[in-house]
Amino acid sequence: VPDPRSIFRLGRLLRQKRPHLIQTWMYHADLIGGLAAKLAGGVPVIWGIRHSNLDPEGNKRTTIWTAKACARFSNRLPNKIICCSEASKRVHAKLGYNSQKMIVIPDGFELSSFVPDPEAKLSVRKELNIPDDALIIGLVARYDPQKDHQNFIQAVSILKDHIFRTQYKIHFMLCGEGVTWENRKIAEPIEKTGLRQQFHLLGRRDDMPRLTAAMDIATSSSSYGEGFPNVVGEAMACEVPCVVTDV
């Protein structure tokens, strides 16, 4: 439950610590950090925006209200507003954010880690018991409505007849927080496709450069809100072709 007293406590802490700069991340932090910085005597604030869509059907009402409040305060609270993409900048300028303060800084990628790696293609297939000549289609995303795993599974269902007709060996590798067989919201739709043996749900992983380089096709099935998906840039750095939704 939001507690306005927390903003005053944060303001007192900022007065004590006197940071040179405050950088906030996404709407609620932007609003709270901006107000607390004002209470602390005007510590410079840089807001961070990563969203590209604020349609009511895809976002919580509280998120939309907070974004609109930020738009109203954008003339007075932040010194700069950093967007991760041109799409984010356009959407928020239209919402009423101060466009004169907005600057686009695209996401960066660790090009020494995300590289083409033929050995990864072999080692990951061995780990998951996938034939060496099989095609791996990957989806890297936490389980969340925005990421729309059901959309991915529906696409697999459309592909299913083609797989059986051509005898292609295709496997689907999904990883991210909550993407496990224990999550019945994702497991049951997969089982209905009749292709459970070709799905590999890996949950959270810490070897993403290796897994990404092992893919033959990387996907993003998100239905709304993406500003600049890191996983797409990482796949491109590994020279893996991407099939993505236009969000």
Side-chain angles (χ1 to χ4, degrees), residues 1 38 44 51 67 83 92 99 155 157 166-167 172 182 215 227 235:
V1 178
K38 278 292 183 190
H51 231 53
C83 303
H92 291 84
S99 60
S157 296
T166 60
Q167 298 301 306
F172 307 97
E182 288 71 32
M215 298 176 191

Side-chain angles (χ1 to χ4, degrees), residues 110 113-114 124 127 140 173-177 202-213 234:
E110 198 64 64
S113 299
F114 287 93
V124 169
E127 175 190 340
V140 178
M173 182 176 68
L174 287 69
C175 60
E177 195 74 44
L202 308 184
R204 183 188 176 99
R205 294 282 294 237
D206 296 320
D207 56 344
M208 289 317 307
R210 173 174 170 261
L211 293 180
T212 302
E234 289 165 356

Side-chain angles (χ1 to χ4, degrees), residues 3 85 142 183:
D3 184 353
S85 68
R142 69 185 183 279
N183 182 352

Side-chain angles (χ1 to χ4, degrees), residues 11 35-36 38 43 45 76 78 82 101 121 127 133 140 197 199 203 239 242:
L35 292 171
K38 278 292 183 190
V43 180
V45 176
R76 289 181 287 170
I82 296 178
K101 294 184 178 182
K121 289 183 177 292
E127 175 190 340
D133 59 346
V140 178
Q197 298 304 315
F199 272 85
E239 299 183 6
C242 302

Side-chain angles (χ1 to χ4, degrees), residues 14-216:
L14 295 176
R15 278 198 299 274
Q16 295 168 8
K17 300 293 186 182
R18 298 306 303 172
H20 294 107
L21 180 72
I22 296 172
Q23 190 268 324
T24 57
W25 183 262
M26 302 174 76
Y27 303 124
H28 297 81
D30 290 345
L31 184 59
I32 293 167
L35 292 171
K38 278 292 183 190
L39 292 172
V43 180
V45 176
I46 296 178
W47 281 358
I49 293 177
R50 295 191 61 82
H51 231 53
S52 71
N53 179 298
L54 284 164
D55 290 341
E57 61 267 23
N59 295 275
K60 295 179 181 177
R61 282 183 294 177
T62 52
T63 299
I64 296 173
W65 293 341
T66 305
K68 288 182 176 179
C70 286
R72 284 178 171 269
F73 284 116
S74 63
N75 288 321
R76 289 181 287 170
L77 295 185
N79 295 71
K80 286 287 183 182
I81 305 169
I82 296 178
C83 303
C84 67
S85 68
E86 294 291 346
S88 292
K89 181 179 178 181
R90 285 195 301 272
V91 166
H92 291 84
K94 187 175 181 180
L95 189 66
Y97 277 69
N98 185 330
S99 60
Q100 299 302 311
K101 294 184 178 182
M102 300 176 87
I103 182 172
V104 175
I105 301 180
D107 286 348
F109 301 95
E110 198 64 64
L111 299 182
S112 60
S113 299
F114 287 93
V115 295
D117 186 355
E119 291 185 8
K121 289 183 177 292
L122 295 175
S123 67
V124 169
R125 282 164 171 76
K126 183 176 181 180
E127 175 190 340
L128 302 179
N129 198 27
I130 296 173
D132 289 348
D133 59 346
L135 199 72
I136 292 181
I137 299 177
L139 173 63
V140 178
R142 69 185 183 279
Y143 187 77
D144 183 276
Q146 178 188 20
K147 305 302 181 181
D148 204 350
H149 286 77
Q150 306 307 320
N151 188 22
F152 180 86
I153 297 167
Q154 185 178 357
V156 172
S157 296
I158 295 171
L159 188 63
K160 177 180 175 181
D161 291 340
H162 182 72
I163 295 172
F164 289 143
R165 189 167 62 248
T166 60
Q167 298 301 306
Y168 269 123
K169 297 175 184 174
I170 301 180
H171 286 247
F172 307 97
M173 182 176 68
L174 287 69
C175 60
E177 195 74 44
V179 183
T180 65
W181 291 111
E182 288 71 32
N183 182 352
R184 298 309 298 169
K185 289 183 178 180
I186 192 170
E188 289 178 5
I190 288 174
E191 288 163 353
K192 288 178 181 178
T193 68
L195 298 173
R196 179 184 170 120
Q197 298 304 315
Q198 280 139 283
F199 272 85
H200 306 269
L201 306 187
L202 308 184
R204 183 188 176 99
R205 294 282 294 237
D206 296 320
D207 56 344
M208 289 317 307
R210 173 174 170 261
L211 293 180
T212 302
M215 298 176 191
D216 294 289

